Amino acid sequence: MLGTTTSKILQMLLGNEYISGEDIASTLGLSRAAVWKHIETLRTLGYIISSQSGQGYSIVSSPDIPLPEEVTRHLPHSSIDWIVTYLPQCTSSNLVLKDLAGKGATEGHVIVTDHQTAGRGRRGRQWLSDPKSALLFSVLLRPKLPPDELLPLTVVIGVVMAEVLRNLGVNCELKWPNDILVDEAKVCGILAEISGEPDHTDYVIIGIGLNVRGSRTLDDYGATALDAHITPPHRGELLASILLSIEKHYRQFTRKDIDNILRRWEDLSATVGRRVVIHSATGDIEGTAIGLSPSGGLYVTTSDGKLEIKSGEVSLRHTPPNQH
Ligand code: BTN
């Protein structure tokens, strides 16, 4: 979104407490007047930049925009080559990334946006959020596994999000497969979209919508946002901590070493031990959720015995789990 030179100046400002106009000018081969113009561009975006004679420029505060410069400065030692693109508005970050994936984009491409005109939710639903009130992004992964081995990845990403939010002090829980709830209200949704052949995955797009600030739209849906529970961090920093956590958990997933992640999901779960109704393509199934299968399915005991649910929508019931 920023021009190359403005982006470089922003990176220099973010990496230094103070930096003189002269240093910026000589590093980038610019005049002092040109540096000042780029600083003005950043101020127009909402950056508050002080300019002290003898010390130079300093960022006093950054606007809460998840610009790539704000994200990647927190990702210095990543094993995935994260390439973050910020779009003020798009149809759906999943759709934009699908297009890039089809054109050969590599693993680690991320699209983050402030507003979606056609946000996609699970099961063909819309995903609505007010401009600038959420962290909306999609991540491109290219796991070397067939599509039918990818179910655990959705559970793994649920754990990623729950861990990041818990580290921020949000007392969240997971609803199978990967909704994040606080006091039973949804704070974050995850949509994984897979493209490939039966024996080969071309790509997976993980789309995440995290409600950061409350709005009428969320109230209408009975959803919640981070600011009802904590003072949210800058969305750039938040995205960086999510990407770092994805990286760590995704490595475990590709090594097929996810037992501890599955157990962690159960510990963080609002689902296990509860009466549930699974709305599946073949009808509703009622029972008690008892845990996760090794492939990330939900084990449910029903009047017909123990079932492994691999797809469907879960409703949590409020009756105690004293019968099937
Ligand atoms: C759900 O239904 O719970 C999943 C919602 C996923 C929404 C996110 S927002 C960013 C990304 N782009 C989309 O169009 N959808 C996902």
Side-chain angles (χ1 to χ4, degrees):
M1 183 211 171
L2 298 180
T4 317
T5 309
T6 316
S7 168
K8 282 185 185 158
I9 293 177
L10 177 56
Q11 288 173 57
M12 291 169 95
L13 289 168
L14 289 170
N16 293 279
E17 202 180 330
Y18 280 97
I19 183 157
S20 69
E22 203 173 306
D23 281 352
I24 299 174
S26 67
T27 308
L28 300 179
L30 299 171
S31 67
R32 297 280 299 275
V35 171
W36 182 83
K37 271 183 80 178
H38 290 287
I39 297 280
E40 283 305 297
T41 304
L42 291 171
R43 285 180 171 142
T44 314
L45 274 176
Y47 281 90
I48 299 183
I49 301 171
S50 71
S51 140
Q52 306 267 337
S53 60
Q55 282 187 302
Y57 294 111
S58 175
I59 292 189
V60 178
S61 76
S62 296
D64 185 27
I65 311 173
L67 293 175
E69 296 80 358
E70 296 279 2
V71 180
T72 49
R73 75 193 189 105
H74 299 289
L75 300 172
H77 306 296
S78 303
S79 62
I80 294 184
D81 190 11
W82 295 113
I83 300 172
V84 179
T85 303
Y86 166 78
L87 301 173
Q89 175 174 314
C90 66
T91 49
S92 143
S93 55
N94 272 31
L95 280 183
V96 174
L97 198 50
K98 263 189 192 187
D99 189 46
L100 290 179
K103 292 176 180 152
T106 49
E107 178 163 280
H109 269 77
V110 177
I111 299 290
V112 55
T113 186
D114 257 335
H115 181 49
Q116 300 185 122
T117 52
R120 293 147 68 92
R122 291 181 65 232
R123 305 175 78 75
R125 286 191 290 253
Q126 273 186 303
W127 180 263
L128 297 172
S129 51
D130 289 2
K132 297 189 178 174
S133 67
L135 180 60
L136 309 169
F137 66 100
S138 304
V139 174
L140 175 62
L141 299 174
R142 294 195 185 266
K144 293 180 180 57
L145 292 168
D148 67 357
E149 290 183 32
L150 297 181
L151 177 61
L153 185 56
T154 58
V155 165
V156 167
I157 300 295
V159 171
V160 163
M161 289 309 299
E163 295 281 21
V164 168
L165 297 190
R166 285 195 162 228
N167 283 339
L168 292 172
V170 180
N171 196 13
C172 60
E173 294 181 303
L174 284 153
K175 182 166 82 99
W176 189 86
N178 54 17
D179 282 351
I180 320 284
L181 313 178
V182 186
D183 298 333
E184 307 217 346
K186 190 155 159 175
V187 71
C188 176
I190 302 169
L191 175 67
E193 299 193 82
I194 300 171
S195 167
E197 307 294 324
D199 60 342
H200 164 82
T201 299
D202 186 12
Y203 60 80
V204 184
I205 288 173
I206 309 286
I208 300 181
L210 171 61
N211 303 326
V212 177
R213 272 171 246 294
S215 66
R216 281 285 298 279
T217 308
L218 295 189
D219 293 346
D220 291 349
Y221 282 85
T224 189
L226 292 186
D227 72 348
H229 311 281
I230 56 161
T231 303
H234 187 284
R235 285 181 299 156
E237 185 186 338
L238 188 52
L239 177 52
S241 56
I242 296 167
L243 295 180
L244 284 173
S245 185
I246 288 181
E247 190 170 324
K248 176 175 144 213
H249 289 83
Y250 177 60
R251 291 287 164 237
Q252 267 188 268
F253 167 75
T254 53
R255 286 198 309 267
K256 301 194 177 182
D257 168 25
I258 58 160
D259 263 14
N260 65 332
I261 302 180
L262 297 177
R263 298 299 76 84
R264 186 70 185 134
W265 189 97
E266 289 172 342
D267 288 346
L268 295 169
S269 161
T271 317
V272 173
R274 293 278 294 270
R275 294 283 299 166
V276 291
V277 178
I278 320 287
H279 310 285
S280 77
T282 51
D284 287 359
I285 302 163
E286 197 164 343
T288 301
I290 56 168
L292 289 185
S293 73
S295 67
L298 185 66
Y299 281 140
V300 178
T301 51
T302 71
S303 47
D304 295 330
K306 179 174 156 184
L307 300 178
E308 182 191 0
I309 308 293
K310 291 198 165 182
S311 71
E313 187 74 10
V314 171
S315 298
L316 302 174
R317 288 284 181 262
H318 286 274
T319 47
N322 54 1
Q323 55 181 47
H324 294 319

